Amino acid sequence: MKFTLILWVSTLLSLTAYSQTVYPEREVDKAAQPQGGFAYLQQFVKDNLQIPFQARLQSVQGWVFMSGIVETDGSVSGLKIIKGIHPLCDAEALRVVGLYRAWEPALKDTKPVRQDFNFFVVFPDMPVTNYDSTSQRLVDYFNEKFQFTQDPTEYHFRRYIPVDKNGLVRDDVIFEELKKKEWRPFLLVPFKRDSLMYKIANETMTDSVSAYQLTVRDKDWNSYVPETIIQKNGQLLSTKEKQGNKVVSYAEYYASGALRERQIVDGKSEKIVTWYDNGQLKEVRTQETPDPTKAAEISVVDLWSREGKVYVKGGNGWGVYKSKVRKEQLIIEQGAFENGKKVGKWIAKRPDSTLYYDETYDKGKLVQGRLMLDGTEHTYTEVQQNPQFQGGASALGMFLGKNIKYPKEASRKNISGKVFVSFVVCEDGSLCDYEVLKGIGGGCDEEALRVVKEMSGKWLPGVERGQKVRVKYNLPVIFLLE
């Protein structure tokens, strides 16, 4: 017995020492590499890189060289700079590469081992040419049609955006107009910094983190700088750019700081790219909205597993999705794609392999669905239906027009605009959880809320896979003086 114990301890120490050894690439049987190849890591770094504002002001550019260790679980450790270009850029390079945890570890004697590696991060030249260091503001000029211009002979409006050391808006945005060779105040758009709890969803759970939102909006909710949400530690969580009230691009991040989803709009077409939290590319899809009153037409271009397995390539393949449904229940859904559209039978199962639903598709259009819930079968022909006022949009407009009473204070003070009210449409068509998101004062906020509450019971609830569901709804209530 004593001999056996000593032998076992000796073997354990040997294995521990073996696993802690860091091998150079030339001494392993198979070198470590990012899942899918180095092109995927390079793309991840490019998409996640946040070039420091202070470095941009100094027109810093170049390559940051670093070294590190690929661990046996696909993460990296021991990152250090070999040759840097600027302290802020060096720190950003270490941050981004450290976020990528989708490596295939090195193999030696068929076993995963730790391996050192070298990598570089490219910082392109992205100078900030409109920064006024004296006032710490970004200054832009526009012509009479409010079109951006750099020609001094066309200057008619100018805009000041106060920013902090990180390039984030920190105060009201000011517009001035050139009249009789003098710049005079034209418009002030208020800056707001609001605390909130931000929800971050992944495949298996939803996290909430403490954050704050930076916005610069006018009374009609038009944005004048990207709407940004940041963790209390300064880590970016979300950024959204708008033209008027239309979103033209957005990016959302995991709590770790890794990019989760990015949207880029090109006309009526949108490209949306998503990543797993380990940095592995997850999905590339496009969607078009030829008719604003109808759901977007979605096409899946590429799809990968968390481990880097290719599910769908060029719109064709076998798709597999993990997602949450009712009460955080996890399901696994799978089926075929042809030319980016769902075709044939799609089946979703619970973790215990029991059927949750099956659906039949023809070129992306649902033909028939069957949901198994609490031992009962429910059929449907639409995956989702949004809640709507009974009678539709025209009936809603008529109801508001008939019931709104213009507040005397607002009329006396010549107040007009939009009051944005949020509420939840419940399963029985009643309303609850009312909130005024954006008001204009003068009694309009209270009147909008009163009229919205009068609509309770007059709505058709939202429907998901044949089941009535609670849906949050945002409604603008317009107050217009004649």
Side-chain angles (χ1 to χ4, degrees):
M1 179 66 69
K2 185 176 180 180
F3 175 76
T4 304
L5 178 61
I6 293 174
L7 178 61
W8 179 81
V9 171
S10 176
T11 303
L12 178 61
L13 291 174
S14 177
L15 289 173
T16 301
Y18 185 83
S19 65
Q20 291 180 346
T21 302
V22 179
Y23 292 88
E25 182 177 340
R26 65 180 181 276
E27 293 183 8
V28 299
D29 300 328
K30 181 182 178 183
Q33 69 166 359
Q35 293 173 175
F38 274 91
Y40 285 89
L41 172 57
Q42 292 168 344
Q43 188 63 46
F44 174 85
V45 170
K46 180 180 178 182
D47 291 335
N48 280 267
L49 196 65
Q50 299 170 20
I51 302 177
F53 183 68
Q54 295 300 319
R56 292 181 59 194
L57 292 178
Q58 300 173 39
S59 298
V60 176
Q61 62 175 316
W63 295 17
V64 174
F65 292 87
M66 65 177 67
S67 65
I69 300 168
V70 177
E71 299 290 346
T72 56
D73 63 356
S75 64
V76 297
S77 66
L79 291 174
K80 59 183 180 180
I81 300 298
I82 298 175
K83 182 181 179 182
I85 56 175
H86 186 282
L88 293 176
C89 292
D90 298 349
E92 175 62 11
L94 292 173
R95 183 192 74 86
V96 173
V97 176
L99 288 173
Y100 189 83
R101 298 177 286 110
W103 286 81
E104 294 178 359
L107 297 179
K108 185 175 179 64
D109 300 331
T110 71
K111 297 178 181 178
V113 294
R114 307 171 77 206
Q115 180 208 301
D116 59 15
F117 75 100
N118 296 314
F119 192 70
F120 63 87
V121 176
V122 180
F123 284 81
D125 185 19
M126 293 183 63
V128 181
T129 58
N130 62 338
Y131 182 70
D132 179 5
S133 59
T134 302
S135 61
Q136 297 180 342
R137 300 185 294 189
L138 301 176
V139 185
D140 294 302
Y141 292 89
F142 306 87
N143 60 21
E144 290 184 351
K145 297 180 179 180
F146 247 110
Q147 298 169 327
F148 176 76
T149 182
Q150 293 180 311
D151 184 351
T153 63
E154 296 181 350
Y155 289 173
H156 190 78
F157 298 98
R158 70 179 175 188
R159 176 183 64 193
Y160 290 122
I161 304 178
V163 294
D164 62 17
K165 65 178 182 180
N166 297 315
L168 297 173
V169 61
R170 58 176 172 81
D171 207 341
D172 300 340
V173 171
I174 298 172
F175 286 86
E176 295 179 336
E177 184 178 14
L178 185 61
K179 286 186 175 182
K180 297 180 180 181
K181 297 183 179 182
E182 290 186 4
W183 288 104
R184 301 180 180 179
F186 178 76
L187 175 67
L188 184 148
V189 189
F191 162 78
K192 289 187 68 177
R193 173 177 168 144
D194 298 314
S195 296
L196 74 161
M197 294 301 295
Y198 184 77
K199 291 184 178 181
I200 304 173
N202 56 34
E203 286 185 305
T204 59
M205 62 182 296
T206 301
D207 290 330
S208 292
V209 298
S210 180
Y212 56 86
Q213 182 178 38
L214 307 180
T215 57
V216 177
R217 297 176 180 150
D218 62 20
K219 64 179 182 179
D220 293 322
W221 264 31
N222 295 308
S223 293
Y224 289 78
V225 298
E227 297 180 2
T228 305
I229 298 177
I230 302 173
Q231 291 187 60
K232 295 298 175 82
N233 63 5
Q235 181 63 61
L236 186 62
L237 285 172
S238 171
T239 181
K240 184 186 302 180
E241 293 197 35
K242 293 182 176 181
Q243 290 181 354
N245 282 322
K246 181 181 179 181
V247 177
V248 295
S249 67
Y250 70 77
E252 297 178 353
Y253 298 79
Y254 290 104
S256 66
L259 193 58
R260 185 178 71 86
E261 181 169 297
R262 169 171 288 169
Q263 175 211 43
I264 301 173
V265 178
D266 182 12
K268 294 182 179 180
S269 179
E270 301 174 359
K271 179 180 179 181
I272 299 174
V273 184
T274 58
W275 288 261
Y276 293 97
D277 59 6
N278 65 349
Q280 167 64 45
L281 197 59
K282 180 180 182 180
E283 184 183 53
V284 177
R285 68 182 185 272
T286 60
Q287 59 186 44
E288 296 184 8
T289 312
D291 184 346
T293 64
K294 297 181 179 180
E297 298 179 5
I298 299 175
S299 295
V300 174
V301 180
D302 299 303
L303 180 67
W304 295 264
S305 73
R306 182 183 174 86
E307 295 72 35
K309 178 182 178 181
V310 178
Y311 286 145
V312 177
K313 188 68 175 176
N316 299 295
W318 187 262
V320 180
Y321 292 94
K322 293 181 181 179
S323 58
K324 299 187 301 296
V325 289
R326 296 168 176 267
K327 297 180 180 179
E328 301 292 311
Q329 183 180 19
L330 179 67
I331 63 168
I332 300 177
E333 176 192 22
Q334 52 187 313
F337 279 105
E338 288 183 6
N339 299 319
K341 306 293 185 182
K342 288 183 175 182
V343 295
K345 182 78 74 175
W346 275 71
I347 296 177
K349 292 185 177 182
R350 301 178 177 89
D352 62 2
S353 295
T354 57
L355 179 67
Y356 184 64
Y357 63 77
D358 61 46
E359 298 172 341
T360 302
Y361 288 87
D362 180 20
K363 297 179 180 179
K365 181 176 176 58
L366 178 65
V367 177
Q368 183 71 44
R370 180 171 63 110
L371 174 70
M372 300 301 295
L373 191 64
D374 300 327
T376 304
E377 179 180 306
H378 306 268
T379 59
Y380 51 93
T381 55
E382 290 187 66
V383 176
Q384 289 182 326
Q385 294 173 273
N386 290 325
Q388 64 172 337
F389 189 80
Q390 295 177 11
S394 59
L396 173 59
M398 291 178 62
F399 178 89
L400 293 173
K402 181 179 178 180
N403 289 275
I404 288 179
K405 299 177 182 178
Y406 216 103
K408 292 181 180 180
E409 181 184 355
S411 179
R412 187 175 65 254
K413 295 181 177 179
N414 200 31
I415 294 175
S416 62
K418 297 178 183 178
V419 177
F420 291 83
V421 181
S422 169
F423 53 88
V424 171
V425 181
C426 303
E427 293 91 332
D428 60 357
S430 64
L431 308 183
C432 64
D433 296 345
Y434 305 94
E435 181 183 2
V436 175
L437 298 176
K438 176 70 175 180
I440 57 176
C444 293
D445 307 349
E446 293 80 5
E447 176 62 12
L449 191 58
R450 182 193 69 80
V451 173
V452 167
K453 289 182 178 180
E454 289 290 325
M455 295 191 297
S456 184
K458 297 179 174 63
W459 284 73
L460 299 175
V463 179
E464 183 177 61
R465 293 193 162 90
Q467 301 299 297
K468 296 177 181 179
V469 293
R470 290 164 57 94
V471 178
K472 189 171 184 179
Y473 199 96
N474 295 333
L475 179 70
V477 180
I478 301 174
F479 289 83
L480 182 62
L481 282 170
E482 295 182 357

PDB file of all heavy atoms in Angstrom, residues 6 12 15 58 154 167 205 221 254 273 335 357 375 412 422 481:
ATOM      1  N   ILE A   6       3.076   6.133  -3.012  1.00  0.00           N
ATOM      2  CA  ILE A   6       4.233   6.898  -3.492  1.00  0.00           C
ATOM      3  C   ILE A   6       4.248   6.941  -5.011  1.00  0.00           C
ATOM      4  O   ILE A   6       4.507   7.978  -5.618  1.00  0.00           O
ATOM      5  CB  ILE A   6       5.541   6.273  -2.959  1.00  0.00           C
ATOM      6  CG1 ILE A   6       5.610   6.458  -1.436  1.00  0.00           C
ATOM      7  CG2 ILE A   6       6.748   6.927  -3.615  1.00  0.00           C
ATOM      8  CD1 ILE A   6       6.793   5.746  -0.807  1.00  0.00           C
ATOM      9  N   LEU A  12       1.318  11.827 -10.334  1.00  0.00           N
ATOM     10  CA  LEU A  12       0.581  13.079 -10.325  1.00  0.00           C
ATOM     11  C   LEU A  12       1.519  14.271 -10.510  1.00  0.00           C
ATOM     12  O   LEU A  12       1.254  15.181 -11.288  1.00  0.00           O
ATOM     13  CB  LEU A  12      -0.185  13.210  -9.012  1.00  0.00           C
ATOM     14  CG  LEU A  12      -0.977  14.519  -8.821  1.00  0.00           C
ATOM     15  CD1 LEU A  12      -2.037  14.658  -9.893  1.00  0.00           C
ATOM     16  CD2 LEU A  12      -1.599  14.562  -7.428  1.00  0.00           C
ATOM     17  N   LEU A  15       2.584  14.481 -14.129  1.00  0.00           N
ATOM     18  CA  LEU A  15       1.549  15.022 -15.004  1.00  0.00           C
ATOM     19  C   LEU A  15       1.409  16.526 -14.811  1.00  0.00           C
ATOM     20  O   LEU A  15       1.233  17.278 -15.767  1.00  0.00           O
ATOM     21  CB  LEU A  15       0.212  14.321 -14.736  1.00  0.00           C
ATOM     22  CG  LEU A  15       0.109  12.859 -15.200  1.00  0.00           C
ATOM     23  CD1 LEU A  15      -1.194  12.252 -14.713  1.00  0.00           C
ATOM     24  CD2 LEU A  15       0.204  12.767 -16.719  1.00  0.00           C
ATOM     25  N   GLN A  58      -2.717  62.256 -31.381  1.00  0.00           N
ATOM     26  CA  GLN A  58      -1.275  62.340 -31.655  1.00  0.00           C
ATOM     27  C   GLN A  58      -0.890  61.648 -32.954  1.00  0.00           C
ATOM     28  O   GLN A  58       0.298  61.498 -33.256  1.00  0.00           O
ATOM     29  CB  GLN A  58      -0.503  61.722 -30.485  1.00  0.00           C
ATOM     30  CG  GLN A  58      -0.751  62.417 -29.156  1.00  0.00           C
ATOM     31  CD  GLN A  58      -0.117  61.681 -27.993  1.00  0.00           C
ATOM     32  OE1 GLN A  58       0.994  61.148 -28.103  1.00  0.00           O
ATOM     33  NE2 GLN A  58      -0.810  61.643 -26.856  1.00  0.00           N
ATOM     34  N   GLU A 154     -18.109  78.167 -47.570  1.00  0.00           N
ATOM     35  CA  GLU A 154     -19.461  77.619 -47.473  1.00  0.00           C
ATOM     36  C   GLU A 154     -19.966  77.552 -46.035  1.00  0.00           C
ATOM     37  O   GLU A 154     -21.106  77.141 -45.789  1.00  0.00           O
ATOM     38  CB  GLU A 154     -19.507  76.208 -48.077  1.00  0.00           C
ATOM     39  CG  GLU A 154     -19.203  76.157 -49.569  1.00  0.00           C
ATOM     40  CD  GLU A 154     -19.291  74.746 -50.104  1.00  0.00           C
ATOM     41  OE1 GLU A 154     -19.404  73.791 -49.282  1.00  0.00           O
ATOM     42  OE2 GLU A 154     -19.266  74.571 -51.336  1.00  0.00           O
ATOM     43  N   GLY A 167     -12.842  60.741 -25.695  1.00  0.00           N
ATOM     44  CA  GLY A 167     -13.564  61.102 -26.904  1.00  0.00           C
ATOM     45  C   GLY A 167     -15.066  60.965 -26.786  1.00  0.00           C
ATOM     46  O   GLY A 167     -15.780  61.060 -27.791  1.00  0.00           O
ATOM     47  N   MET A 205     -28.015  32.313 -20.667  1.00  0.00           N
ATOM     48  CA  MET A 205     -28.489  33.134 -19.557  1.00  0.00           C
ATOM     49  C   MET A 205     -28.451  34.609 -19.938  1.00  0.00           C
ATOM     50  O   MET A 205     -27.912  34.984 -20.981  1.00  0.00           O
ATOM     51  CB  MET A 205     -27.631  32.898 -18.311  1.00  0.00           C
ATOM     52  CG  MET A 205     -26.159  33.269 -18.488  1.00  0.00           C
ATOM     53  SD  MET A 205     -25.159  32.918 -17.032  1.00  0.00           S
ATOM     54  CE  MET A 205     -25.895  34.032 -15.845  1.00  0.00           C
ATOM     55  N   TRP A 221     -36.606  63.434 -29.889  1.00  0.00           N
ATOM     56  CA  TRP A 221     -35.759  62.254 -29.700  1.00  0.00           C
ATOM     57  C   TRP A 221     -34.788  62.020 -30.848  1.00  0.00           C
ATOM     58  O   TRP A 221     -34.280  60.928 -31.034  1.00  0.00           O
ATOM     59  CB  TRP A 221     -36.608  60.990 -29.458  1.00  0.00           C
ATOM     60  CG  TRP A 221     -36.751  60.698 -27.999  1.00  0.00           C
ATOM     61  CD1 TRP A 221     -36.778  61.586 -26.983  1.00  0.00           C
ATOM     62  CD2 TRP A 221     -36.910  59.417 -27.383  1.00  0.00           C
ATOM     63  NE1 TRP A 221     -36.940  60.955 -25.782  1.00  0.00           N
ATOM     64  CE2 TRP A 221     -37.031  59.630 -25.997  1.00  0.00           C
ATOM     65  CE3 TRP A 221     -36.974  58.121 -27.869  1.00  0.00           C
ATOM     66  CZ2 TRP A 221     -37.192  58.579 -25.087  1.00  0.00           C
ATOM     67  CZ3 TRP A 221     -37.151  57.082 -26.975  1.00  0.00           C
ATOM     68  CH2 TRP A 221     -37.258  57.311 -25.603  1.00  0.00           C
ATOM     69  N   TYR A 254     -20.297  42.062 -24.899  1.00  0.00           N
ATOM     70  CA  TYR A 254     -20.431  41.281 -23.672  1.00  0.00           C
ATOM     71  C   TYR A 254     -19.851  42.083 -22.510  1.00  0.00           C
ATOM     72  O   TYR A 254     -19.137  43.076 -22.720  1.00  0.00           O
ATOM     73  CB  TYR A 254     -19.684  39.952 -23.798  1.00  0.00           C
ATOM     74  CG  TYR A 254     -20.310  38.968 -24.758  1.00  0.00           C
ATOM     75  CD1 TYR A 254     -19.772  38.749 -26.023  1.00  0.00           C
ATOM     76  CD2 TYR A 254     -21.439  38.239 -24.391  1.00  0.00           C
ATOM     77  CE1 TYR A 254     -20.334  37.839 -26.901  1.00  0.00           C
ATOM     78  CE2 TYR A 254     -22.015  37.322 -25.258  1.00  0.00           C
ATOM     79  CZ  TYR A 254     -21.460  37.127 -26.520  1.00  0.00           C
ATOM     80  OH  TYR A 254     -22.029  36.225 -27.386  1.00  0.00           O
ATOM     81  N   VAL A 273     -23.567  40.750 -37.853  1.00  0.00           N
ATOM     82  CA  VAL A 273     -22.541  39.760 -37.514  1.00  0.00           C
ATOM     83  C   VAL A 273     -22.566  39.546 -36.009  1.00  0.00           C
ATOM     84  O   VAL A 273     -22.595  40.521 -35.246  1.00  0.00           O
ATOM     85  CB  VAL A 273     -21.142  40.222 -37.963  1.00  0.00           C
ATOM     86  CG1 VAL A 273     -20.105  39.136 -37.696  1.00  0.00           C
ATOM     87  CG2 VAL A 273     -21.145  40.598 -39.448  1.00  0.00           C
ATOM     88  N   GLY A 335     -32.101  22.507 -38.312  1.00  0.00           N
ATOM     89  CA  GLY A 335     -32.764  22.228 -39.579  1.00  0.00           C
ATOM     90  C   GLY A 335     -31.907  22.717 -40.728  1.00  0.00           C
ATOM     91  O   GLY A 335     -30.790  23.208 -40.529  1.00  0.00           O
ATOM     92  N   TYR A 357     -40.926  22.189 -30.195  1.00  0.00           N
ATOM     93  CA  TYR A 357     -41.749  22.480 -31.371  1.00  0.00           C
ATOM     94  C   TYR A 357     -41.090  21.916 -32.620  1.00  0.00           C
ATOM     95  O   TYR A 357     -39.892  21.628 -32.654  1.00  0.00           O
ATOM     96  CB  TYR A 357     -42.009  23.989 -31.542  1.00  0.00           C
ATOM     97  CG  TYR A 357     -40.782  24.842 -31.783  1.00  0.00           C
ATOM     98  CD1 TYR A 357     -40.137  24.890 -33.019  1.00  0.00           C
ATOM     99  CD2 TYR A 357     -40.276  25.653 -30.767  1.00  0.00           C
ATOM    100  CE1 TYR A 357     -39.037  25.694 -33.231  1.00  0.00           C
ATOM    101  CE2 TYR A 357     -39.179  26.466 -30.958  1.00  0.00           C
ATOM    102  CZ  TYR A 357     -38.557  26.484 -32.201  1.00  0.00           C
ATOM    103  OH  TYR A 357     -37.460  27.286 -32.398  1.00  0.00           O
ATOM    104  N   GLY A 375     -47.956  19.253 -22.202  1.00  0.00           N
ATOM    105  CA  GLY A 375     -48.651  18.068 -22.669  1.00  0.00           C
ATOM    106  C   GLY A 375     -49.719  18.328 -23.709  1.00  0.00           C
ATOM    107  O   GLY A 375     -50.446  17.408 -24.109  1.00  0.00           O
ATOM    108  N   ARG A 412     -51.127  77.548 -23.477  1.00  0.00           N
ATOM    109  CA  ARG A 412     -50.734  78.909 -23.104  1.00  0.00           C
ATOM    110  C   ARG A 412     -49.255  79.157 -23.356  1.00  0.00           C
ATOM    111  O   ARG A 412     -48.863  80.248 -23.772  1.00  0.00           O
ATOM    112  CB  ARG A 412     -51.063  79.132 -21.620  1.00  0.00           C
ATOM    113  CG  ARG A 412     -50.848  80.576 -21.162  1.00  0.00           C
ATOM    114  CD  ARG A 412     -51.302  80.793 -19.721  1.00  0.00           C
ATOM    115  NE  ARG A 412     -50.511  80.032 -18.764  1.00  0.00           N
ATOM    116  CZ  ARG A 412     -50.933  78.939 -18.137  1.00  0.00           C
ATOM    117  NH1 ARG A 412     -52.158  78.479 -18.373  1.00  0.00           N
ATOM    118  NH2 ARG A 412     -50.159  78.302 -17.278  1.00  0.00           N
ATOM    119  N   SER A 422     -44.196  54.234 -22.687  1.00  0.00           N
ATOM    120  CA  SER A 422     -43.940  52.798 -22.757  1.00  0.00           C
ATOM    121  C   SER A 422     -44.961  52.066 -21.886  1.00  0.00           C
ATOM    122  O   SER A 422     -45.336  52.552 -20.817  1.00  0.00           O
ATOM    123  CB  SER A 422     -42.522  52.495 -22.267  1.00  0.00           C
ATOM    124  OG  SER A 422     -42.338  51.102 -22.098  1.00  0.00           O
ATOM    125  N   LEU A 481     -50.193  71.978 -31.858  1.00  0.00           N
ATOM    126  CA  LEU A 481     -51.052  73.158 -31.792  1.00  0.00           C
ATOM    127  C   LEU A 481     -51.454  73.582 -33.194  1.00  0.00           C
ATOM    128  O   LEU A 481     -50.630  73.621 -34.109  1.00  0.00           O
ATOM    129  CB  LEU A 481     -50.296  74.321 -31.124  1.00  0.00           C
ATOM    130  CG  LEU A 481     -50.192  74.270 -29.592  1.00  0.00           C
ATOM    131  CD1 LEU A 481     -49.224  75.344 -29.121  1.00  0.00           C
ATOM    132  CD2 LEU A 481     -51.551  74.471 -28.956  1.00  0.00           C
TER     133      LEU A 481
END
